[in-house]
Amino acid sequence: MHQTRSQLTKKIPLRRKGTKYVVRTRSHLHSSVPVLIAVRDMLKLAHTAKEVKEMIKEKVLKLNGREIKDERESIKLFNVLHADKNYMLTFSDLGKFTLEETKSKERLAKVTGKKVLKGKKQQLNLHDGTNILSSEKVKVGDSVYLDLNNKIAKHVALEKGKECFVISGKYIGKKGKINSIENGFADVHLDDSSAKIEKGRLTVL
């Protein structure tokens, strides 16, 4: 399935001029990058869609440790794409998606919700659509690092003194340190100034 170039989210660093239609992600339309655009246009590891499809057939592309089956698969924020190397999807300080080389195979995920299932099992809902079971004491707004089996390798609480990354709003793509948290807002030190930012717009690192 495709969409017109003008419908493409401005977060994806693709030229505004070119072919009328571009590939459309299978999910998270406004908050993800399709594999085709990531590999061909952002990493420039292929020249054509056909070459990307061939890479998929040869099983050289993986997303969060899992083989990619479709060039339209969605790469969400902080997901790890394996091509020639490992790359994490993040934001530049201009608010555009970018793929940064990473040595880690673990991926960062923000906890956006949780609920208790039968048997008192705790389900964590993550920002990229992943749901996992965990017995750890994790709060909504905290972050977790997941291994290739979607198991929690590390838990980071959203609290004073923690490093954070702004994922939406005016300061998207900026990193800072949390000075304090009150009434749903965090006072964050960014570069040489401070800003009040909603907790929902932050991910702790």
Side-chain angles (χ1 to χ4, degrees), residues 25-42:
T25 59
R26 297 180 64 181
S27 66
H28 295 72
L29 186 61
H30 300 292
S31 57
S32 68
V33 178
V35 167
L36 174 58
I37 289 179
V39 175
R40 183 190 62 190
D41 303 291
M42 295 174 67

Side-chain angles (χ1 to χ4, degrees), residues 115-131:
K115 60 182 178 181
V116 178
L117 306 178
K118 289 182 179 180
K120 296 184 178 181
K121 293 181 179 179
Q122 177 184 235
Q123 176 180 289
L124 302 180
N125 306 319
L126 308 180
H127 79 280
D128 62 0
T130 304
N131 298 321

Side-chain angles (χ1 to χ4, degrees), residues 161-164 175-179 187-190:
K162 293 298 175 64
E163 299 293 325
C164 63
K175 289 184 178 180
K177 187 174 183 178
I178 299 175
N179 295 322
D187 180 69
V188 181
H189 181 74
L190 300 169

